[in-house]
Amino acid sequence: MDLASDVDFKALVIGAAISAGLTIIASRGLEWLMLFSSVGLLYVGYTAKDIKYGAILGAIAATPIVYLALTGTFGEFSGFFLTDFGAISVVIIILLIGAFIGFVGAWAKRSREKAKVEYEKKQKIGKNKNKKKNNN
């Protein structure tokens, strides 16, 4: 595994920045933007080498959101979440959601590549039929 060639660091930084930036803007009063904060994590997963890397990089790109949650951007914690176990569970949940969204981005890329190959096969089949008819 060569980390420099397997990971697109530019996409990782851009995706994490998009997610964190939209999260910050959404916490300041435009809550509907929170729906689009996962776009950055999808982008990170889409640019990943395979599905495994997509999930790992999605979790890594979600770390700025973990920092924002722990510093109080989403509001103050209360009850169970004031305990150490509660804070750890928040971190784990955010990282798992980031990994899942990265996985979905990588899966979408894989599905698109398969569909492109299938489409090209269908195009070649149609071309060969016309050539055989003209030769006879």
Side-chain angles (χ1 to χ4, degrees):
M1 176 178 105
D2 185 24
L3 192 63
S5 65
D6 290 344
V7 177
D8 186 4
F9 289 105
K10 183 174 110 176
L12 180 66
V13 170
I14 290 172
I18 289 171
S19 293
L22 286 176
T23 302
I24 291 170
I25 293 170
S27 69
R28 303 287 186 238
L30 299 171
E31 288 85 15
W32 60 272
L33 282 176
M34 190 66 75
L35 297 170
F36 301 104
S37 65
S38 64
V39 170
L41 300 176
L42 281 171
Y43 175 65
V44 169
Y46 192 82
T47 59
K49 177 181 161 186
D50 59 6
I51 290 179
K52 180 179 72 171
Y53 278 107
I56 293 169
L57 292 175
I60 292 171
T63 54
I65 298 173
V66 169
Y67 175 76
L68 292 172
L70 294 177
T71 56
T73 302
F74 303 125
E76 296 297 321
F77 290 126
S78 62
F80 167 73
F81 297 108
L82 287 175
T83 65
D84 290 337
F85 188 71
I88 290 171
S89 64
V90 167
V91 170
I92 290 172
I93 288 170
I94 292 172
L95 291 179
L96 284 175
I97 291 171
F100 177 72
I101 295 172
F103 169 81
V104 169
W107 179 72
K109 177 183 177 182
R110 185 185 74 172
S111 296
R112 182 174 185 271
E113 289 174 352
K114 284 183 179 180
K116 283 173 60 176
V117 168
E118 221 174 273
Y119 178 75
E120 289 174 1
K121 284 182 184 177
K122 287 182 180 179
Q123 292 297 322
K124 288 180 183 177
I125 291 170
K127 289 179 183 177
N128 291 336
K129 285 184 180 179
N130 290 335
K131 287 180 182 179
K132 288 180 182 177
K133 286 181 182 177
N134 291 336
N135 289 338
N136 292 331

